[in-house]
Amino acid sequence: MRNASRKQQEKRERIILSAIAIMNREGFKYTTMEQVASEMRMTKGSLYYYFRNKQDLMFQCHELVLDQAIEDQKEAFKAEGTYGDKLRRMIHCHIDYAVNRKETFNMIIQPEQAFEKGQLPSIVEKRDDYARLFDRVVSEGIGAGEFQNSDVKIIRMILLGAMNWVQTWYRKDGLIGLDELKDLYAEYLLKLLK
Amino acid sequence: MRNASRKQQEKRERIILSAIAIMNREGFKYTTMEQVASEMRMTKGSLYYYFRNKQDLMFQCHELVLDQAIEDQKEAFKAEGTYGDKLRRMIHCHIDYAVNRKETFNMIIQPEQAFEKGQLPSIVEKRDDYARLFDRVVSEGIGAGEFQNSDVKIIRMILLGAMNWVQTWYRKDGLIGLDELKDLYAEYLLKLLK
DNA sequence: GAGGTTTTTTGAACATTGTTCAAATTTTTT
DNA sequence: AAAAAATTTGAACAATGTTCAAAAAACCTC
């Protein structure tokens, strides 16, 4: 029983990983249940044994990537340096996810399009966990006198919006390199707190 | 002939206006061809006489709203004041569109999800027209010595991203009023150029 | 390891929605 | 009024997500 359910959970995870790969290859909109099932050598009907519906599957893909991002951001925060250094690292980290895991990380941006109304609260919650990491570095930085006193929530929204937007226009074969871009973003965005 | 085609154009526009209304009511994803047709008292088959497909219709809805926005932004730019004043007005204007015509203006954000690949270039072009308005105020402001010398494109992307993001979290019944929000955004975003 | 129980998979059917198109209808022109 | 052009219809189709009863496979108990 415990055993069976672990096995089930493992398969669920394998499906999620597979779906993430497909989504990052084909794009969110063009990923079908058929494709996901086929990649797992099963029929699409079986997927509904593991996931209530497509959006549930998508949600779990999103969640997994978001969990990884949260971990990475915690690292970025913990590492030594001023609050400016911490925030700079976090900006780098976020842009990296936004660009390199576009299709899955992406869903943060417009969850209404990716998920059903009933699932929204659950997403928003995890998204908030992520957001709080930025609130923390900003408000601690303000407390330490390193950043200018500001409306933390608004600052956070400006930061996230600016960074998420990158993935709508950045192209790997474009004029500017990703590292250069990250530096510029960090430089400019830190001005918000000066 | 000229007459017929004008009539056709008028009906096309009436369909677009109707579709915009439905989208802003029901949301982008939940607007069907059936609904649009029904609201116009016609069958969905007929819609294909006026639009190649759904995405074509959506594109034209988007285009119309974007055209209006471009006009409004030009006004905001022309009105008197420093470049800071101009940019402040433009920020207010943009946030207004992003929040109040969310569903149609919105599509700017993730065109890949709303449109077909073939239609993208055409969208990007108009989007660029819009973006150039921001480039202009920023670079002229720099030229006039009012703004600090900066990478205009990056600044533009930060501005647009930050502003577009507002519509993902702002709720009319929330804690902060839209006017207050616009002021805060303008205040912080102008710091980017200090 | 046989028999029963639970878990998993299947495959067919269904629902929704976008799309096509030949034919019918309406409108316009001559 | 006849011919031509423009518009609309309605039925069919295609693609996909979803359901579900039945079959198959895996597991468990004695």
Side-chain angles (χ1 to χ4, degrees):
Chain A
M1 201 161 293
R2 154 125 340 142
N3 212 345
S5 118
R6 167 159 42 223
K7 207 177 158 190
Q8 184 176 321
Q9 192 52 33
E10 274 166 11
K11 179 140 192 181
R12 208 191 307 273
E13 274 167 27
R14 258 180 294 131
I15 295 172
I16 292 171
L17 289 175
S18 170
I20 289 176
I22 295 174
M23 280 179 57
N24 282 326
R25 196 171 66 231
E26 312 276 338
F28 169 75
K29 192 184 170 187
Y30 301 100
T31 300
T32 71
M33 294 300 267
E34 189 73 51
Q35 263 178 305
V36 175
S38 151
E39 192 106 337
M40 292 295 294
R41 299 239 184 86
M42 58 206 298
T43 59
K44 62 177 174 176
S46 316
L47 287 178
Y48 289 81
Y49 180 73
Y50 296 96
F51 304 93
R52 241 172 315 153
N53 50 38
K54 185 184 180 182
Q55 302 190 312
D56 184 33
L57 168 57
M58 295 305 170
F59 169 63
Q60 295 196 39
C61 291
H62 172 55
E63 199 174 32
L64 193 138
V65 174
L66 197 48
D67 282 340
Q68 291 174 345
I70 288 174
E71 285 314 305
D72 286 356
Q73 290 290 21
K74 282 182 180 164
E75 288 301 317
F77 179 86
K78 270 187 211 145
E80 62 168 28
T82 64
Y83 285 102
D85 293 334
K86 289 174 192 293
L87 181 52
R88 220 184 314 272
R89 279 194 300 265
M90 288 173 74
I91 289 170
H92 279 241
C93 176
H94 185 100
I95 292 178
D96 216 77
Y97 268 92
V99 169
N100 290 322
R101 320 223 180 162
K102 186 176 167 184
E103 295 297 332
T104 29
F105 196 62
N106 209 356
M107 294 186 233
I108 303 178
I109 297 192
Q110 289 186 304
E112 319 80 41
Q113 294 205 1
F115 309 115
E116 268 179 14
K117 288 165 188 182
Q119 285 180 316
L120 265 178
S122 159
I123 285 176
V124 170
E125 203 177 314
K126 183 143 286 182
R127 197 163 84 171
D128 282 354
D129 289 344
Y130 186 82
R132 265 190 286 276
L133 297 170
F134 280 91
D135 289 359
R136 189 170 154 207
V137 68
V138 169
S139 60
E140 287 188 21
I142 292 172
E146 193 184 325
F147 295 151
Q148 166 148 34
N149 190 26
S150 313
D151 185 315
V152 175
K153 184 181 171 189
I154 298 288
I155 291 288
R156 176 233 295 169
M157 290 304 187
I158 290 176
L159 291 175
L160 288 176
M163 294 186 296
N164 285 330
W165 182 249
V166 171
Q167 48 108 25
T168 69
W169 60 270
Y170 178 76
R171 295 292 169 262
K172 288 189 177 163
D173 53 1
L175 291 173
I176 187 173
L178 190 53
D179 285 332
E180 190 189 346
L181 185 152
K182 288 179 193 165
D183 284 338
L184 279 171
Y185 262 68
E187 178 192 335
Y188 289 137
L189 290 177
L190 278 167
K191 282 191 176 185
L192 293 171
L193 294 161
K194 290 242 172 77
Chain B
M1 199 163 285
R2 154 128 335 143
N3 210 345
S5 117
R6 167 162 40 224
K7 207 174 156 189
Q8 185 175 322
Q9 192 52 32
E10 274 166 12
K11 180 142 192 181
R12 207 190 308 272
E13 272 167 29
R14 257 180 294 134
I15 296 173
I16 292 171
L17 289 175
S18 171
I20 288 175
I22 295 173
M23 280 180 58
N24 282 326
R25 196 171 66 230
E26 312 276 339
F28 168 75
K29 193 183 170 187
Y30 300 100
T31 299
T32 70
M33 293 300 266
E34 189 73 50
Q35 264 178 304
V36 174
S38 150
E39 191 106 339
M40 292 294 294
R41 301 239 184 86
M42 57 206 296
T43 58
K44 62 177 174 176
S46 317
L47 287 177
Y48 289 82
Y49 180 73
Y50 296 95
F51 303 93
R52 243 171 313 153
N53 51 39
K54 185 183 182 183
Q55 301 188 313
D56 185 30
L57 168 58
M58 295 304 172
F59 169 62
Q60 295 196 37
C61 292
H62 172 54
E63 200 174 30
L64 192 137
V65 174
L66 196 47
D67 282 340
Q68 291 174 344
I70 287 175
E71 285 315 305
D72 286 356
Q73 289 291 22
K74 282 183 180 164
E75 288 302 315
F77 179 83
K78 271 189 210 144
E80 62 167 27
T82 63
Y83 284 103
D85 293 333
K86 289 173 192 292
L87 180 53
R88 219 182 317 270
R89 279 195 299 266
M90 288 172 73
I91 289 170
H92 279 241
C93 177
H94 186 100
I95 293 178
D96 217 77
Y97 268 93
V99 169
N100 289 321
R101 322 224 178 159
K102 187 175 168 185
E103 296 296 333
T104 30
F105 195 61
N106 208 358
M107 295 186 228
I108 301 179
I109 297 191
Q110 289 185 303
E112 317 79 45
Q113 293 204 1
F115 309 113
E116 269 181 10
K117 287 165 187 179
Q119 285 179 316
L120 265 179
S122 158
I123 286 176
V124 169
E125 204 176 311
K126 181 142 289 183
R127 197 163 85 172
D128 281 354
D129 289 343
Y130 186 83
R132 263 190 286 276
L133 297 170
F134 280 91
D135 289 1
R136 190 171 152 206
V137 68
V138 170
S139 60
E140 287 188 19
I142 292 172
E146 192 184 326
F147 295 151
Q148 166 148 34
N149 190 27
S150 313
D151 185 315
V152 176
K153 185 182 171 187
I154 298 289
I155 290 290
R156 176 231 296 168
M157 291 303 188
I158 290 177
L159 292 175
L160 289 176
M163 295 186 294
N164 285 329
W165 181 249
V166 171
Q167 48 106 27
T168 69
W169 61 270
Y170 178 75
R171 296 293 169 261
K172 288 190 177 163
D173 54 0
L175 292 175
I176 186 172
L178 190 53
D179 285 330
E180 191 190 348
L181 185 152
K182 287 178 192 168
D183 283 339
L184 279 171
Y185 262 68
E187 178 191 335
Y188 289 136
L189 290 177
L190 277 166
K191 282 191 176 182
L192 293 171
L193 293 161
K194 290 238 171 81

